[in-house]
Amino acid sequence: MKEARIHVYGPVASRRLGASLGIDLVPLKICNYDCIYCQLGRTKTLTNRMAPYILADTVVGEIKARLDQGVNTDYITIAGSGEPTLNSELQKVISGIKDITEVPVAVLTNGSRLSDPSVSKACLMADLVLPSLDAGNQEVFQKINRPLPELMLKDVVDNMVRFREKYSGLLWLEVMLIEGLNSDDGNIEDIGKLIDIIKPDEVQLNTVMRPPAEPFAHAVDIERIKEIMLMLQPDAPVLIEIASKEALPVSGGSIDEAGLMALLNRRPCTFSQIAEALKINEAEVIKILSRMLADKLIITEDVAGGLFYRTVRIPGENPEEPAGEDRGA
């Protein structure tokens, strides 16, 4: 019998969010972008269609069970294996979380659907919203994010601006820098102009640190990122956020094969990242990884001199989509 999928994972260690209990709201990988840098690989279902991919009652029930077990977390973070705002149950999920805990809620999103009334209403309930902006013009937007054809960068930015005007929580904007695509002075100037329009509370600069969807998505040198940080001078502080917002479990001491599979399904990791963050014996990590490699459950991938472990993905595998309301263009 197939094991039931777990939609709540962590807590994971986040440089900005502290301990973050993650929520996976869509199957791998349903999104309206197909970003070249995505650590989850190519988008399997490129869509703007909203549907109840995972029911709110299921998610809230899992969160309550974790909190009842005594899990300590600084944020409950809605993210996961695709674009979470495509789940038509998003508002019910956030509302349900607010009913059972005072832990603040964060939403990681590409920001493209903030004009949808149901998405906007849901995100207005969150304590922190973290949209992304990787391009300053339509040409680069298409090269890096590879969105649905009908999605225009101008509209995405306009959506963020309108949301910002009525949102009372924190808005942190993430910029993913890709060598040779958006890291030159001209593109940074274009991105800076859009940041000034959006007016986020904070800007986070990131670059490729995990195995990307495309081999030509290369990291930007840290010294160049520091230069970019100085070039961008909006009212909001600009921070270098090299590590992923969601990294590794922080409540550790032990881990089994199932737990490691759940982690690597969402975040490729190096051996040292696993051992250090989980605070477990390195010999135990080696033993589990060796067994999983032998069973062909995971593979290794070298990225910028770092050896990452990731789960095996079946070519052509496509998650089954449930029936739901189509709110696409």
Side-chain angles (χ1 to χ4, degrees):
M1 181 180 294
K2 187 176 180 181
E3 185 178 351
R5 183 175 175 224
I6 298 174
H7 307 99
V8 177
Y9 57 98
V12 294
S14 167
R15 291 180 62 193
R16 300 303 300 162
L17 301 180
S20 171
L21 190 64
I23 303 175
D24 201 348
L25 277 191
V26 293
L28 182 73
K29 183 186 176 227
I30 294 177
C31 194
N32 53 5
Y33 286 8
D34 184 18
C35 299
I36 63 173
Y37 59 78
C38 185
Q39 61 195 15
L40 297 175
R42 295 291 303 271
T43 293
K44 296 181 178 183
T45 304
L46 188 65
T47 182
N48 232 2
R49 174 176 176 264
M50 292 186 76
Y53 295 105
I54 295 143
L55 298 179
D57 287 347
T58 299
V59 173
V60 175
E62 287 187 25
I63 293 171
K64 186 176 186 305
R66 296 299 306 280
L67 295 176
D68 288 346
Q69 292 168 2
V71 169
N72 292 316
T73 184
D74 298 307
Y75 273 93
I76 295 174
T77 305
I78 296 172
S81 302
E83 174 50 42
T85 62
L86 288 171
N87 191 321
S88 57
E89 298 265 291
L90 178 62
Q91 185 177 337
K92 291 181 180 180
V93 169
I94 298 178
S95 177
I97 295 171
K98 293 291 185 178
D99 286 341
I100 64 173
T101 180
E102 295 183 357
V103 175
V105 175
V107 179
L108 298 184
T109 173
N110 59 31
S112 64
R113 296 192 53 82
L114 288 173
S115 63
D116 184 286
S118 67
V119 173
S120 178
K121 188 174 181 179
C123 289
L124 286 172
M125 299 171 61
D127 302 278
L128 170 63
V129 177
L130 303 95
S132 58
L133 179 72
D134 306 322
N137 59 69
Q138 184 66 26
E139 180 183 359
V140 177
F141 179 51
Q142 291 174 333
K143 287 181 178 179
I144 293 178
N145 301 119
R146 299 189 299 200
L148 283 165
E150 64 265 28
L151 290 178
M152 298 291 111
L153 178 63
K154 181 182 183 302
D155 295 332
V156 173
V157 172
D158 287 345
N159 294 343
M160 292 186 195
V161 171
R162 286 194 292 270
F163 178 78
R164 168 76 281 184
E165 290 173 348
K166 56 187 177 182
Y167 182 51
S168 60
L170 293 172
L171 188 77
W172 294 352
L173 190 67
E174 180 177 72
V175 178
M176 180 64 74
L177 298 169
I178 311 295
E179 180 63 39
L181 287 177
N182 66 350
S183 59
D184 60 280
D185 287 359
N187 274 292
I188 295 304
E189 183 178 347
D190 289 344
I191 291 172
K193 291 176 182 177
L194 297 184
I195 292 173
D196 289 337
I197 296 172
I198 297 169
K199 294 180 171 55
D201 294 293
E202 182 174 296
V203 178
Q204 300 175 356
L205 302 181
N206 214 326
T207 194
V208 181
M209 296 299 292
R210 297 178 185 272
E214 302 293 355
F216 54 82
H218 297 298
V220 176
D221 181 79
I222 185 61
E223 294 305 318
R224 174 56 182 165
I225 297 177
K226 291 177 181 178
E227 292 175 358
I228 292 171
M229 179 180 67
L230 296 176
M231 290 175 62
L232 294 173
Q233 296 296 330
D235 293 334
V238 180
L239 307 176
I240 296 177
E241 181 68 16
I242 297 300
S244 172
K245 292 192 191 78
E246 293 183 284
L248 297 162
V250 295
S251 55
S254 65
I255 192 169
D256 57 16
E257 189 171 299
L260 190 51
M261 280 291 289
L263 167 65
L264 296 181
N265 267 327
R266 296 178 173 94
R267 297 288 180 269
C269 300
T270 65
F271 167 81
S272 60
Q273 287 173 336
I274 296 170
E276 180 180 356
L278 297 178
K279 310 299 182 191
I280 59 178
N281 188 287
E282 293 188 356
E284 186 66 19
V285 178
I286 293 173
K287 182 171 66 176
I288 297 174
L289 290 175
S290 297
R291 184 169 65 242
M292 294 172 71
L293 284 167
D295 292 340
K296 297 183 178 180
L297 298 173
I298 60 174
I299 58 174
T300 59
E301 185 171 350
D302 189 285
V303 178
L307 190 66
F308 285 80
Y309 295 87
R310 70 185 313 166
T311 54
V312 175
R313 294 173 185 145
I314 302 172
E317 181 185 9
N318 204 358
E320 187 174 317
E321 293 186 22
E325 182 180 359
D326 187 351
R327 300 194 184 187

